[in-house]
Structures are given as C-alpha cells and as structure tokens.
Amino acid sequence: MLPNAPHPNPPLVDLTVLAHLEQQFNDAGPARAFARDYIAGFGDRCLRLTRSVADQDLPAALEAALSLRNSSLMLGAERLVALTAAFEAAISSADLDAARRALPGIERCGLDTIRELETRYLDPA
C-alpha cells in the first residue's frame, strides 16, 4: 500500500487516537468524556444527515457530514470517517441518490463504532 493511501478496510476505532488524546491531557477523563459525548450526539448527527438529504438541502448535508467526519476523526473512528467522506463527495457533486444510499451504511457503522467504544474503551473488561 502507498504511504498515506487510505486503508482498504479501516478499523472501526483506532484506540491509539484516544490514547494520544489522553497523553495530551495527561488524564484519561477528557478523552473518555469526549467519547461519551460523541456517543450521546451520534443520533442527532445521523438525523441531521438524513433530514438534509430528504430536504435536498445540500449546504446542510455538507455541514452535517463535516460535523460527523471531524468528530469521528478526533475519536479515531476511521471507518466512519471514510464512509462520511464518501457521503461528502456525493453531496459535493449534488448526487443525492448516492448520498441517500450511503445513509444506512453510515448509521450501521456509527452504531458499530458506539459498541466498539463502549466495550473496548469505556468499559474494558
């Protein structure tokens, strides 16, 4: 694979991103709070994507996608970042059909990401 090339099947969550955030704060608390806030806000972010596509509101769809992608990037949710980037590309080219088709995958991946965060990061056994 080429350097900086996207991983063909990125992980749901790269926990090293959260570990780095913990190191930056010299405390796990803020990173864990961010993960919990991300989980709490995912439903609203997903709803904003769906509504903006249903309303054919391209600026709102792009804004919602950027919000989800950036927060996912900060969290290390690599697979969701990739899916959201594809959604953004569809919106940027005004391909609402492609954007609409991407929504179920984004939602599914988001829910899988939440489970991964809850089991591997927030509540490790």
Side-chain angles (χ1 to χ4, degrees):
M1 185 171 5
L2 297 172
N4 298 324
H7 190 281
N9 189 23
L12 278 172
V13 179
D14 178 357
L15 292 178
T16 62
V17 173
L18 289 164
H20 181 69
L21 191 58
E22 289 177 5
Q23 289 174 347
Q24 285 182 315
F25 285 105
N26 201 27
D27 180 6
R32 291 182 180 280
F34 178 67
R36 285 189 293 273
D37 289 347
Y38 177 90
I39 289 168
F42 176 77
D44 287 338
R45 284 189 177 104
C46 203
L47 184 59
R48 285 178 53 209
L49 287 176
T50 303
R51 281 187 180 159
S52 61
V53 170
D55 293 344
Q56 299 183 8
D57 186 342
L58 297 177
L62 186 57
E63 181 181 323
L66 288 170
S67 173
L68 179 59
R69 183 173 56 84
N70 289 334
S71 61
S72 297
L73 186 63
M74 291 171 55
L75 191 76
E78 293 185 14
R79 197 172 306 168
L80 195 51
V81 168
L83 290 172
T84 306
F87 177 89
E88 283 178 54
I91 291 299
S92 293
S93 63
D95 188 347
L96 285 170
D97 288 334
R100 195 173 294 108
R101 286 190 306 271
L103 290 171
I106 290 171
E107 182 176 13
R108 206 169 26 256
C109 184
L111 295 174
D112 290 345
T113 299
I114 288 169
R115 278 191 291 283
E116 184 89 356
L117 285 168
E118 290 173 339
T119 59
R120 291 188 56 223
Y121 183 66
L122 293 173
D123 189 26

